[in-house]
Amino acid sequence: QVQLVESGGGLVQAGGSLRLSCTASGSILSINAMGWHRQAPGKQRELVAGITSGGSTIYGDSVKGRFTISRDGASNTVYLQMNSLKPEDTAVYYCNAVRVTTSNGDHPEVWGRGALVTVSS
């Protein structure tokens, strides 16, 4: 069974920085892409950033130039460096992994349980 575990969330003042980490485990052979989504209270879940196994990245419009996604393929870990944080970045941040191949089978998509990020004004 594949599991994603996020860490690094917390409370930060506006203008500050945080780094989120997410590690996938479970007899993993390969992961096509990993990424971060977020969901603020009363809002739909939205894409924050994604990165493929080849290193291609995509960002949501609201975080471009402030957030950076990176990935360590050897440890199946994805990072999200968040700079110049704003109160509107407050949300639960979810990690996901797409097209995960394991020794026990393939998983189209797996989600973590989320990490809360709160940005105070």
Side-chain angles (χ1 to χ4, degrees), residues 2 31-33 96-101 105-111:
V2 178
I31 301 175
N32 180 261
N96 76 318
V98 178
R99 276 193 271 168
V100 181
T101 299
D106 297 339
H107 303 263
E109 191 168 28
V110 183
W111 289 85

Side-chain angles (χ1 to χ4, degrees), residues 45 47 53 62 71 75 83 96 120:
R45 191 173 295 191
L47 171 71
S53 58
S62 62
R71 179 174 173 177
S75 64
N83 298 329
N96 76 318
S120 63

Side-chain angles (χ1 to χ4, degrees), residues 36-101:
W36 294 92
H37 290 68
R38 69 186 182 186
Q39 188 165 20
K43 295 188 177 181
Q44 291 188 332
R45 191 173 295 191
E46 64 175 355
L47 171 71
V48 176
I51 185 167
T52 69
S53 58
S56 297
T57 59
I58 185 172
Y59 292 92
D61 289 340
S62 62
V63 307
K64 286 179 181 177
R66 300 188 297 123
F67 291 9
T68 302
I69 190 169
S70 60
R71 179 174 173 177
D72 179 353
S75 64
N76 295 317
T77 298
V78 64
Y79 303 95
L80 185 68
Q81 179 65 45
M82 304 183 292
N83 298 329
S84 302
L85 282 160
K86 305 174 181 179
E88 51 263 44
D89 294 318
T90 296
V92 177
Y93 285 70
Y94 296 92
C95 172
N96 76 318
V98 178
R99 276 193 271 168
V100 181
T101 299

